Amino acid sequence: MQLAQLRVLCAIAEAGSIRGAARKLSLSQPSVTKSLRALEQDLDVMLVSRSSQGISLTEAGKAVLPRARAVQAEVQKTRDEVDRLAGRARTSVSVGVASVIGAWLVPPVLAHYGREHVDTALRVVEGTQETLLPMLRDGSLDFAVCLRLEQEATRGFTVRPLARFRLTVVGRKGHPLRHARALQELQGAHWIMTRPRGRGGVLEQVFASEGLELPASAAECDSHSIKVSTLAQSDALALVGRPMLGEPSVAALLQEIPLAKPFPLLTAGLYTRSDIRLAPAARDLAAAIGVECRKILRLNA
């Protein structure tokens, strides 16, 4: 098994075709095919299946892919660290942030961090646990700031609590349900969820605790900007962190619908891989995010 072969597998998965992978890697199609076949022979299993609809990863391919990505990520980080020590290249940091808190947590951190780390290339990815933690596991992210309920498993990760807070219901200014004070009054509304249906998200859990069915029309969206725009232009409802209502651009469009029974506490946690130590630039960014998070939310609030 060679690094180049793992790189080919990752490229095929990302491009969805041999031709696309060849273009991405600046190789010929026969070279990509030869490398893939060599990897399959080494592992004694088919990693890619071909059909009239194109190519797709087999179950074995899907199992190997995250490990291949993790190997590539670790090799790249090693090269980056050596280049940094030798003064040959810029440091890079990749962080994932839950969309529910990212819009008001990240901007002030980036402004300060950018001034202190002018030679660091920074990448910020917005998402949910379902999208961010696999990226953290395979090395695409250095760390992630996610929301979790207390009972959620964190196997393979070290989680440092940053702050606890509650979500609140919001809708557009002048929403016809703005005077509602019980969840039952909102059951017929169209909801925008952050986490997928069936994954035990806060909205789903609260509806279940009240003996209510989650509305069939509930849609999933993990983008902050799309969620805000949709809420402002419709009668949809969603859960957001109250600090988000302090953003001028959001406050002008949305309003809180305060229910009599509060939602359960969530923990904003700093997730890192248990087997990996953060590089200095990543540690500095994690510390800055922790300070800002506690400043805004206050631990145990």
PDB file of all heavy atoms in Angstrom, residues 219-249:
ATOM      1  N   ALA A 219     -37.718  20.778   7.463  1.00  0.00           N
ATOM      2  CA  ALA A 219     -36.625  20.658   6.495  1.00  0.00           C
ATOM      3  C   ALA A 219     -35.287  20.817   7.204  1.00  0.00           C
ATOM      4  O   ALA A 219     -35.173  21.521   8.207  1.00  0.00           O
ATOM      5  CB  ALA A 219     -36.764  21.719   5.406  1.00  0.00           C
ATOM      6  N   GLU A 220     -34.261  20.176   6.665  1.00  0.00           N
ATOM      7  CA  GLU A 220     -32.921  20.247   7.250  1.00  0.00           C
ATOM      8  C   GLU A 220     -32.073  21.280   6.521  1.00  0.00           C
ATOM      9  O   GLU A 220     -32.031  21.309   5.297  1.00  0.00           O
ATOM     10  CB  GLU A 220     -32.242  18.886   7.157  1.00  0.00           C
ATOM     11  CG  GLU A 220     -30.832  18.870   7.715  1.00  0.00           C
ATOM     12  CD  GLU A 220     -30.104  17.585   7.367  1.00  0.00           C
ATOM     13  OE1 GLU A 220     -30.761  16.609   6.952  1.00  0.00           O
ATOM     14  OE2 GLU A 220     -28.867  17.574   7.492  1.00  0.00           O
ATOM     15  N   CYS A 221     -31.398  22.138   7.287  1.00  0.00           N
ATOM     16  CA  CYS A 221     -30.508  23.146   6.704  1.00  0.00           C
ATOM     17  C   CYS A 221     -29.428  23.471   7.720  1.00  0.00           C
ATOM     18  O   CYS A 221     -29.738  23.903   8.835  1.00  0.00           O
ATOM     19  CB  CYS A 221     -31.287  24.413   6.323  1.00  0.00           C
ATOM     20  SG  CYS A 221     -30.254  25.750   5.701  1.00  0.00           S
ATOM     21  N   ASP A 222     -28.165  23.284   7.355  1.00  0.00           N
ATOM     22  CA  ASP A 222     -27.080  23.574   8.301  1.00  0.00           C
ATOM     23  C   ASP A 222     -26.311  24.838   7.921  1.00  0.00           C
ATOM     24  O   ASP A 222     -25.212  25.073   8.412  1.00  0.00           O
ATOM     25  CB  ASP A 222     -26.124  22.388   8.455  1.00  0.00           C
ATOM     26  CG  ASP A 222     -25.473  21.979   7.142  1.00  0.00           C
ATOM     27  OD1 ASP A 222     -25.591  22.724   6.167  1.00  0.00           O
ATOM     28  OD2 ASP A 222     -24.839  20.902   7.111  1.00  0.00           O
ATOM     29  N   SER A 223     -26.903  25.675   7.080  1.00  0.00           N
ATOM     30  CA  SER A 223     -26.279  26.944   6.698  1.00  0.00           C
ATOM     31  C   SER A 223     -26.948  28.094   7.433  1.00  0.00           C
ATOM     32  O   SER A 223     -28.173  28.279   7.341  1.00  0.00           O
ATOM     33  CB  SER A 223     -26.398  27.160   5.185  1.00  0.00           C
ATOM     34  OG  SER A 223     -26.078  28.494   4.841  1.00  0.00           O
ATOM     35  N   HIS A 224     -26.167  28.871   8.154  1.00  0.00           N
ATOM     36  CA  HIS A 224     -26.703  30.005   8.902  1.00  0.00           C
ATOM     37  C   HIS A 224     -27.356  31.027   7.980  1.00  0.00           C
ATOM     38  O   HIS A 224     -28.488  31.464   8.216  1.00  0.00           O
ATOM     39  CB  HIS A 224     -25.570  30.668   9.691  1.00  0.00           C
ATOM     40  CG  HIS A 224     -25.934  31.996  10.278  1.00  0.00           C
ATOM     41  ND1 HIS A 224     -26.733  32.121  11.390  1.00  0.00           N
ATOM     42  CD2 HIS A 224     -25.617  33.274   9.886  1.00  0.00           C
ATOM     43  CE1 HIS A 224     -26.889  33.412  11.664  1.00  0.00           C
ATOM     44  NE2 HIS A 224     -26.230  34.111  10.778  1.00  0.00           N
ATOM     45  N   SER A 225     -26.684  31.406   6.917  1.00  0.00           N
ATOM     46  CA  SER A 225     -27.206  32.464   6.053  1.00  0.00           C
ATOM     47  C   SER A 225     -28.474  32.036   5.335  1.00  0.00           C
ATOM     48  O   SER A 225     -29.425  32.825   5.206  1.00  0.00           O
ATOM     49  CB  SER A 225     -26.142  32.878   5.030  1.00  0.00           C
ATOM     50  OG  SER A 225     -25.739  31.774   4.244  1.00  0.00           O
ATOM     51  N   ILE A 226     -28.531  30.792   4.865  1.00  0.00           N
ATOM     52  CA  ILE A 226     -29.737  30.304   4.187  1.00  0.00           C
ATOM     53  C   ILE A 226     -30.890  30.210   5.177  1.00  0.00           C
ATOM     54  O   ILE A 226     -32.038  30.544   4.850  1.00  0.00           O
ATOM     55  CB  ILE A 226     -29.468  28.941   3.530  1.00  0.00           C
ATOM     56  CG1 ILE A 226     -28.484  29.108   2.369  1.00  0.00           C
ATOM     57  CG2 ILE A 226     -30.763  28.313   3.027  1.00  0.00           C
ATOM     58  CD1 ILE A 226     -28.087  27.802   1.712  1.00  0.00           C
ATOM     59  N   LYS A 227     -30.608  29.769   6.382  1.00  0.00           N
ATOM     60  CA  LYS A 227     -31.663  29.667   7.392  1.00  0.00           C
ATOM     61  C   LYS A 227     -32.263  31.034   7.696  1.00  0.00           C
ATOM     62  O   LYS A 227     -33.486  31.201   7.709  1.00  0.00           O
ATOM     63  CB  LYS A 227     -31.109  29.051   8.681  1.00  0.00           C
ATOM     64  CG  LYS A 227     -32.148  28.928   9.795  1.00  0.00           C
ATOM     65  CD  LYS A 227     -31.520  28.544  11.112  1.00  0.00           C
ATOM     66  CE  LYS A 227     -30.974  27.147  11.090  1.00  0.00           C
ATOM     67  NZ  LYS A 227     -30.482  26.719  12.408  1.00  0.00           N
ATOM     68  N   VAL A 228     -31.413  32.019   7.929  1.00  0.00           N
ATOM     69  CA  VAL A 228     -31.903  33.366   8.246  1.00  0.00           C
ATOM     70  C   VAL A 228     -32.714  33.928   7.091  1.00  0.00           C
ATOM     71  O   VAL A 228     -33.799  34.507   7.287  1.00  0.00           O
ATOM     72  CB  VAL A 228     -30.728  34.311   8.583  1.00  0.00           C
ATOM     73  CG1 VAL A 228     -31.209  35.756   8.686  1.00  0.00           C
ATOM     74  CG2 VAL A 228     -30.072  33.881   9.890  1.00  0.00           C
ATOM     75  N   SER A 229     -32.235  33.765   5.869  1.00  0.00           N
ATOM     76  CA  SER A 229     -32.942  34.277   4.701  1.00  0.00           C
ATOM     77  C   SER A 229     -34.306  33.606   4.541  1.00  0.00           C
ATOM     78  O   SER A 229     -35.311  34.268   4.250  1.00  0.00           O
ATOM     79  CB  SER A 229     -32.091  34.062   3.450  1.00  0.00           C
ATOM     80  OG  SER A 229     -32.747  34.557   2.308  1.00  0.00           O
ATOM     81  N   THR A 230     -34.338  32.288   4.754  1.00  0.00           N
ATOM     82  CA  THR A 230     -35.599  31.552   4.631  1.00  0.00           C
ATOM     83  C   THR A 230     -36.592  31.985   5.700  1.00  0.00           C
ATOM     84  O   THR A 230     -37.785  32.181   5.418  1.00  0.00           O
ATOM     85  CB  THR A 230     -35.348  30.035   4.740  1.00  0.00           C
ATOM     86  OG1 THR A 230     -34.442  29.629   3.711  1.00  0.00           O
ATOM     87  CG2 THR A 230     -36.643  29.260   4.590  1.00  0.00           C
ATOM     88  N   LEU A 231     -36.129  32.133   6.916  1.00  0.00           N
ATOM     89  CA  LEU A 231     -37.011  32.573   8.001  1.00  0.00           C
ATOM     90  C   LEU A 231     -37.579  33.958   7.718  1.00  0.00           C
ATOM     91  O   LEU A 231     -38.764  34.214   7.947  1.00  0.00           O
ATOM     92  CB  LEU A 231     -36.238  32.590   9.319  1.00  0.00           C
ATOM     93  CG  LEU A 231     -35.827  31.238   9.900  1.00  0.00           C
ATOM     94  CD1 LEU A 231     -34.910  31.431  11.101  1.00  0.00           C
ATOM     95  CD2 LEU A 231     -37.056  30.434  10.305  1.00  0.00           C
ATOM     96  N   ALA A 232     -36.744  34.842   7.213  1.00  0.00           N
ATOM     97  CA  ALA A 232     -37.170  36.224   6.961  1.00  0.00           C
ATOM     98  C   ALA A 232     -38.195  36.327   5.845  1.00  0.00           C
ATOM     99  O   ALA A 232     -38.997  37.259   5.825  1.00  0.00           O
ATOM    100  CB  ALA A 232     -35.954  37.086   6.629  1.00  0.00           C
ATOM    101  N   GLN A 233     -38.179  35.355   4.921  1.00  0.00           N
ATOM    102  CA  GLN A 233     -39.046  35.434   3.750  1.00  0.00           C
ATOM    103  C   GLN A 233     -40.219  34.463   3.797  1.00  0.00           C
ATOM    104  O   GLN A 233     -40.915  34.273   2.792  1.00  0.00           O
ATOM    105  CB  GLN A 233     -38.230  35.171   2.484  1.00  0.00           C
ATOM    106  CG  GLN A 233     -37.112  36.175   2.251  1.00  0.00           C
ATOM    107  CD  GLN A 233     -36.292  35.845   1.023  1.00  0.00           C
ATOM    108  OE1 GLN A 233     -36.836  35.641  -0.057  1.00  0.00           O
ATOM    109  NE2 GLN A 233     -34.974  35.797   1.183  1.00  0.00           N
ATOM    110  N   SER A 234     -40.456  33.848   4.958  1.00  0.00           N
ATOM    111  CA  SER A 234     -41.539  32.868   5.051  1.00  0.00           C
ATOM    112  C   SER A 234     -42.098  32.854   6.472  1.00  0.00           C
ATOM    113  O   SER A 234     -41.681  33.648   7.317  1.00  0.00           O
ATOM    114  CB  SER A 234     -41.013  31.472   4.687  1.00  0.00           C
ATOM    115  OG  SER A 234     -40.122  31.007   5.694  1.00  0.00           O
ATOM    116  N   ASP A 235     -43.025  31.931   6.716  1.00  0.00           N
ATOM    117  CA  ASP A 235     -43.564  31.748   8.059  1.00  0.00           C
ATOM    118  C   ASP A 235     -42.923  30.548   8.751  1.00  0.00           C
ATOM    119  O   ASP A 235     -43.487  29.983   9.686  1.00  0.00           O
ATOM    120  CB  ASP A 235     -45.086  31.561   7.994  1.00  0.00           C
ATOM    121  CG  ASP A 235     -45.809  32.874   7.712  1.00  0.00           C
ATOM    122  OD1 ASP A 235     -45.247  33.945   8.006  1.00  0.00           O
ATOM    123  OD2 ASP A 235     -46.944  32.820   7.188  1.00  0.00           O
ATOM    124  N   ALA A 236     -41.736  30.149   8.283  1.00  0.00           N
ATOM    125  CA  ALA A 236     -41.022  29.043   8.905  1.00  0.00           C
ATOM    126  C   ALA A 236     -40.503  29.458  10.276  1.00  0.00           C
ATOM    127  O   ALA A 236     -40.336  30.649  10.569  1.00  0.00           O
ATOM    128  CB  ALA A 236     -39.860  28.604   8.014  1.00  0.00           C
ATOM    129  N   LEU A 237     -40.245  28.459  11.119  1.00  0.00           N
ATOM    130  CA  LEU A 237     -39.669  28.673  12.446  1.00  0.00           C
ATOM    131  C   LEU A 237     -38.386  27.851  12.571  1.00  0.00           C
ATOM    132  O   LEU A 237     -38.195  26.868  11.866  1.00  0.00           O
ATOM    133  CB  LEU A 237     -40.659  28.241  13.536  1.00  0.00           C
ATOM    134  CG  LEU A 237     -41.999  28.960  13.585  1.00  0.00           C
ATOM    135  CD1 LEU A 237     -42.887  28.321  14.659  1.00  0.00           C
ATOM    136  CD2 LEU A 237     -41.819  30.447  13.859  1.00  0.00           C
ATOM    137  N   ALA A 238     -37.532  28.266  13.489  1.00  0.00           N
ATOM    138  CA  ALA A 238     -36.287  27.532  13.714  1.00  0.00           C
ATOM    139  C   ALA A 238     -35.794  27.803  15.123  1.00  0.00           C
ATOM    140  O   ALA A 238     -36.269  28.723  15.809  1.00  0.00           O
ATOM    141  CB  ALA A 238     -35.228  27.942  12.693  1.00  0.00           C
ATOM    142  N   LEU A 239     -34.831  26.997  15.558  1.00  0.00           N
ATOM    143  CA  LEU A 239     -34.170  27.208  16.839  1.00  0.00           C
ATOM    144  C   LEU A 239     -32.819  27.864  16.595  1.00  0.00           C
ATOM    145  O   LEU A 239     -32.067  27.437  15.718  1.00  0.00           O
ATOM    146  CB  LEU A 239     -33.954  25.869  17.560  1.00  0.00           C
ATOM    147  CG  LEU A 239     -35.194  25.082  17.950  1.00  0.00           C
ATOM    148  CD1 LEU A 239     -34.788  23.788  18.646  1.00  0.00           C
ATOM    149  CD2 LEU A 239     -36.103  25.901  18.853  1.00  0.00           C
ATOM    150  N   VAL A 240     -32.507  28.885  17.363  1.00  0.00           N
ATOM    151  CA  VAL A 240     -31.205  29.540  17.280  1.00  0.00           C
ATOM    152  C   VAL A 240     -30.734  29.876  18.690  1.00  0.00           C
ATOM    153  O   VAL A 240     -31.516  29.883  19.639  1.00  0.00           O
ATOM    154  CB  VAL A 240     -31.255  30.846  16.438  1.00  0.00           C
ATOM    155  CG1 VAL A 240     -31.789  30.579  15.047  1.00  0.00           C
ATOM    156  CG2 VAL A 240     -32.098  31.910  17.144  1.00  0.00           C
ATOM    157  N   GLY A 241     -29.443  30.156  18.822  1.00  0.00           N
ATOM    158  CA  GLY A 241     -28.922  30.639  20.087  1.00  0.00           C
ATOM    159  C   GLY A 241     -29.318  32.104  20.253  1.00  0.00           C
ATOM    160  O   GLY A 241     -29.235  32.885  19.306  1.00  0.00           O
ATOM    161  N   ARG A 242     -29.734  32.461  21.445  1.00  0.00           N
ATOM    162  CA  ARG A 242     -30.202  33.839  21.660  1.00  0.00           C
ATOM    163  C   ARG A 242     -29.180  34.896  21.270  1.00  0.00           C
ATOM    164  O   ARG A 242     -29.545  35.965  20.774  1.00  0.00           O
ATOM    165  CB  ARG A 242     -30.642  34.025  23.116  1.00  0.00           C
ATOM    166  CG  ARG A 242     -31.297  35.383  23.374  1.00  0.00           C
ATOM    167  CD  ARG A 242     -31.934  35.492  24.750  1.00  0.00           C
ATOM    168  NE  ARG A 242     -33.195  34.780  24.807  1.00  0.00           N
ATOM    169  CZ  ARG A 242     -33.383  33.637  25.473  1.00  0.00           C
ATOM    170  NH1 ARG A 242     -32.361  33.067  26.079  1.00  0.00           N
ATOM    171  NH2 ARG A 242     -34.559  33.066  25.511  1.00  0.00           N
ATOM    172  N   PRO A 243     -27.855  34.664  21.480  1.00  0.00           N
ATOM    173  CA  PRO A 243     -26.883  35.690  21.053  1.00  0.00           C
ATOM    174  C   PRO A 243     -26.983  36.050  19.581  1.00  0.00           C
ATOM    175  O   PRO A 243     -26.614  37.149  19.180  1.00  0.00           O
ATOM    176  CB  PRO A 243     -25.531  35.033  21.379  1.00  0.00           C
ATOM    177  CG  PRO A 243     -25.833  34.118  22.510  1.00  0.00           C
ATOM    178  CD  PRO A 243     -27.192  33.564  22.216  1.00  0.00           C
ATOM    179  N   MET A 244     -27.493  35.116  18.753  1.00  0.00           N
ATOM    180  CA  MET A 244     -27.626  35.413  17.332  1.00  0.00           C
ATOM    181  C   MET A 244     -28.588  36.570  17.096  1.00  0.00           C
ATOM    182  O   MET A 244     -28.458  37.325  16.136  1.00  0.00           O
ATOM    183  CB  MET A 244     -28.105  34.186  16.567  1.00  0.00           C
ATOM    184  CG  MET A 244     -27.989  34.308  15.055  1.00  0.00           C
ATOM    185  SD  MET A 244     -28.484  32.801  14.199  1.00  0.00           S
ATOM    186  CE  MET A 244     -30.188  33.193  13.819  1.00  0.00           C
ATOM    187  N   LEU A 245     -29.558  36.744  17.999  1.00  0.00           N
ATOM    188  CA  LEU A 245     -30.528  37.819  17.843  1.00  0.00           C
ATOM    189  C   LEU A 245     -29.898  39.185  18.116  1.00  0.00           C
ATOM    190  O   LEU A 245     -30.518  40.212  17.870  1.00  0.00           O
ATOM    191  CB  LEU A 245     -31.722  37.591  18.782  1.00  0.00           C
ATOM    192  CG  LEU A 245     -32.571  36.351  18.464  1.00  0.00           C
ATOM    193  CD1 LEU A 245     -33.621  36.123  19.536  1.00  0.00           C
ATOM    194  CD2 LEU A 245     -33.221  36.479  17.102  1.00  0.00           C
ATOM    195  N   GLY A 246     -28.671  39.170  18.621  1.00  0.00           N
ATOM    196  CA  GLY A 246     -27.962  40.425  18.833  1.00  0.00           C
ATOM    197  C   GLY A 246     -27.256  40.920  17.589  1.00  0.00           C
ATOM    198  O   GLY A 246     -26.792  42.062  17.543  1.00  0.00           O
ATOM    199  N   GLU A 247     -27.163  40.074  16.566  1.00  0.00           N
ATOM    200  CA  GLU A 247     -26.564  40.520  15.314  1.00  0.00           C
ATOM    201  C   GLU A 247     -27.509  41.519  14.645  1.00  0.00           C
ATOM    202  O   GLU A 247     -28.685  41.208  14.448  1.00  0.00           O
ATOM    203  CB  GLU A 247     -26.363  39.340  14.357  1.00  0.00           C
ATOM    204  CG  GLU A 247     -25.346  38.321  14.775  1.00  0.00           C
ATOM    205  CD  GLU A 247     -25.205  37.256  13.701  1.00  0.00           C
ATOM    206  OE1 GLU A 247     -24.790  37.606  12.578  1.00  0.00           O
ATOM    207  OE2 GLU A 247     -25.520  36.096  13.982  1.00  0.00           O
ATOM    208  N   PRO A 248     -27.042  42.706  14.304  1.00  0.00           N
ATOM    209  CA  PRO A 248     -27.926  43.703  13.680  1.00  0.00           C
ATOM    210  C   PRO A 248     -28.653  43.184  12.450  1.00  0.00           C
ATOM    211  O   PRO A 248     -29.849  43.442  12.275  1.00  0.00           O
ATOM    212  CB  PRO A 248     -26.964  44.846  13.319  1.00  0.00           C
ATOM    213  CG  PRO A 248     -25.858  44.720  14.318  1.00  0.00           C
ATOM    214  CD  PRO A 248     -25.692  43.241  14.540  1.00  0.00           C
ATOM    215  N   SER A 249     -27.954  42.427  11.606  1.00  0.00           N
ATOM    216  CA  SER A 249     -28.573  41.926  10.378  1.00  0.00           C
ATOM    217  C   SER A 249     -29.666  40.914  10.672  1.00  0.00           C
ATOM    218  O   SER A 249     -30.616  40.768   9.892  1.00  0.00           O
ATOM    219  CB  SER A 249     -27.513  41.294   9.469  1.00  0.00           C
ATOM    220  OG  SER A 249     -26.880  40.206  10.125  1.00  0.00           O
TER     221      SER A 249
END
